[in-house]
Amino acid sequence: MASITGTSLSMTSFNRTLVPGTRISNPNSVSLSIKGRTFPSITLQPRVPRFQVTCAAKPETVEKVCHIVKKQLALPEGSSVTGESKFAALGADSLDTVEIVMGLEEEFGISVEEESAQSITTVQEAADMIDKLLESKSA
């Protein structure tokens, strides 16, 4: 995202807001002219699409993780916890996250490395990691 103070030029990958005197000659280059003064073109780097390959955890794993998260955070009955739920959004701090991981280790009979535990931020990430650990444990 680019912005210029005083002349309001803002750009995002899909939405370009322009002021009079600003033109886009091609999607990767912007020329700017203010009160007759022309500035050098700005060349934008194309966005590289991000591809992420994940193996979705089994639904029963996600369900168990949701239950453990609700229990560890003492969430009220009827609280909505899904695979997309972020621990922080549910009110978990770093100590809560450690307790969630410990609960997961106990429930599933696994051991989670500290580095892996620190990278878990959502229920889905936890469930994916658990299934991956269980798969490698049985192999």
Side-chain angles (χ1 to χ4, degrees), residues 70-84:
K70 284 181 183 181
K71 180 180 164 189
Q72 292 292 338
L73 297 178
L75 296 176
E77 190 66 35
S79 295
S80 177
V81 177
T82 66
E84 291 78 31

Side-chain angles (χ1 to χ4, degrees), residues 61-71 75 81-83 85 104 123:
T61 305
V62 176
E63 203 172 300
K64 280 185 180 179
V65 173
C66 288
H67 176 73
I68 291 167
V69 169
K70 284 181 183 181
K71 180 180 164 189
L75 296 176
V81 177
T82 66
S85 297
L104 296 172
V123 169

Side-chain angles (χ1 to χ4, degrees), residues 52 65 69 73 81-94 96-98 100-101 104 112 114-129:
Q52 184 175 4
V65 173
V69 169
L73 297 178
V81 177
T82 66
E84 291 78 31
S85 297
K86 293 185 179 201
F87 296 151
L90 295 171
D93 60 18
S94 58
D96 292 322
T97 303
V98 169
I100 290 168
V101 171
L104 296 172
V112 179
E114 188 177 338
E115 288 177 9
S116 297
Q118 291 175 351
S119 68
I120 300 169
T121 59
T122 68
V123 169
Q124 186 67 50
E125 289 172 358
D128 292 343
M129 179 203 58

Side-chain angles (χ1 to χ4, degrees), residues 46-58:
R47 293 191 109 178
V48 177
R50 293 182 183 174
F51 292 99
Q52 184 175 4
V53 177
T54 59
C55 297
K58 297 174 190 165

